[in-house]
Amino acid sequence: IKENTYLLLSPYYESWNINSADKEVAPLVQSIALPVGLILPLNEKWQLNTIPILRTNGQYLFKKNTMQFGGAAFASYAVTPQKKFRLGVYMNQEFFGLFVWPLVGTDWRLGSNDYLVALLPGSLTYEHRWNNHLYSGTAFRALTNSFRLDNGNFVRVDDNQVSLYLDIYPVRHW
């Protein structure tokens, strides 16, 4: 594999308790996913990113009809080392059908202390570095997911999340 090529493993677990007012809309649903990413530089300006994702989504994990396969692929073009643009696609075989999202994004250092990372319509993060130990920012995430219920039906989750964060690094390098 080429120099500056990276293999990323990022398994995760999540659970959702879906309620509306005092009424339970759906039982607790959960997911275990195994995204495996590959960052492959093509030349000094272009980079290819692929992320196949295998997961089980449902009221009960690893049951019949709870598996989903999908992933994302996008190309990055570096205008400068501090300014990159991305274009690609996300696809997943959801329980309601094939879900396809075109992706457009950036990885842009706006100055010595400000950073913008986006892969829209799914994520957008702005970060400010106050000093070498203190960072803050805001993040937006748009999620679409479906979970198989024990009765054979499914529940679809469309969620938009906005958050503020503050990161403190007491030691510069761990």
Side-chain angles (χ1 to χ4, degrees), residues 63-158:
K63 291 279 191 162
K64 184 178 179 183
N65 296 325
T66 63
M67 297 303 291
Q68 292 182 351
F69 181 75
F74 57 92
S76 297
Y77 177 75
V79 177
T80 68
Q82 295 79 27
K83 187 189 303 183
K84 299 174 186 167
F85 294 103
R86 297 180 171 146
L87 188 63
V89 65
Y90 170 84
M91 299 173 68
N92 194 60
Q93 186 57 54
E94 297 286 346
F95 299 128
F96 54 83
L98 182 62
F99 181 72
V100 179
W101 245 0
L103 302 173
V104 62
T106 189
D107 187 341
W108 196 339
R109 184 153 310 277
L110 300 170
S112 61
N113 295 324
D114 297 295
Y115 193 49
L116 183 67
V117 178
L119 201 50
L120 296 170
S123 69
L124 172 69
T125 302
Y126 167 78
E127 181 175 87
H128 178 76
R129 179 177 66 101
W130 297 96
N131 58 44
N132 288 336
H133 303 284
L134 183 64
Y135 296 75
S136 66
T138 185
F140 166 77
R141 301 286 180 265
L143 309 169
T144 297
N145 212 339
S146 59
F147 299 87
R148 180 71 65 196
L149 300 178
D150 197 37
N151 64 11
N153 293 330
F154 67 87
V155 62
R156 175 176 170 160
V157 174
D158 292 292

Side-chain angles (χ1 to χ4, degrees), residues 16-20 23-29 59 147-149 154-157:
W16 291 78
N17 225 343
I18 306 168
N19 299 312
S20 176
K23 181 181 175 190
E24 182 180 86
V25 175
L28 176 76
V29 290
Q59 187 174 353
F147 299 87
R148 180 71 65 196
L149 300 178
F154 67 87
V155 62
R156 175 176 170 160
V157 174

Side-chain angles (χ1 to χ4, degrees), residues 32-48:
I32 293 177
L34 179 60
V36 179
L38 179 65
I39 300 173
L40 180 65
L42 301 176
N43 58 41
E44 289 184 21
K45 296 281 189 183
W46 288 95
Q47 174 179 297
L48 180 63

